[in-house]
Amino acid sequence: MSTIIKSIDTKRGMLFEVEAGGKAVRIMLTWHALEGACDYNTSANDLLNFLIHPDEVIRGHGDRFIAHKRLNRHLARVVYEYENGSIVVVTFYIAYAERYFKGGMYEDKILP
């Protein structure tokens, strides 16, 4: 699991410093991503755990990645990118696993 060390409200969203696997990581959850999480009754902590401990990570459009976490028949999809060495979560939603899940591939990993 991961532990939130601190969080700061910014104009763009909430900036978290998270410790996971003995490593400190800075993650920005944009307001848009947090609103999406709220739509699905998902906490910021859950969102961070989906991102840090995914079942797979695939490439999205441009320089973005999508972290997948299986939720039975559904799939939590956390879309993120890197900006100046920090992780920025752009959006979050839940979809059917059969549509998007590729079987456990990792095209990026936040933790080794």
Side-chain angles (χ1 to χ4, degrees):
M1 278 297 160
S2 56
T3 304
I4 296 172
I5 299 168
K6 67 179 176 178
S7 65
I8 303 166
D9 283 3
T10 70
K11 183 177 180 182
R12 188 169 184 195
M14 290 188 73
L15 180 62
F16 290 88
E17 187 171 327
V18 179
E19 183 183 343
K23 180 180 175 184
V25 183
R26 291 171 52 102
I27 301 170
M28 168 69 72
L29 299 182
T30 62
W31 295 120
H32 178 74
L34 288 165
E35 288 170 8
C38 187
D39 290 344
Y40 293 102
N41 295 319
T42 301
S43 69
N45 195 49
D46 287 339
L47 196 61
L48 292 167
N49 279 310
F50 294 158
L51 175 68
I52 295 169
H53 306 287
D55 293 325
E56 77 176 359
V57 179
I58 61 171
R59 284 198 175 276
H61 297 291
D63 292 330
R64 291 183 175 170
F65 294 94
I66 307 167
H68 288 161
K69 188 69 171 178
R70 290 193 68 123
L71 306 170
N72 296 319
R73 292 184 16 219
H74 292 89
L75 192 67
R77 301 190 86 212
V78 182
V79 180
Y80 68 97
E81 59 193 10
Y82 291 93
E83 285 184 12
N84 302 320
S86 291
I87 299 158
V88 178
V89 175
V90 179
T91 194
F92 166 79
Y93 60 99
I94 294 176
Y96 284 108
E98 66 186 29
R99 180 171 181 185
Y100 295 106
F101 194 71
K102 307 286 187 212
M105 61 193 312
Y106 290 92
E107 296 190 49
D108 184 55
K109 277 193 170 185
I110 294 169
L111 294 179

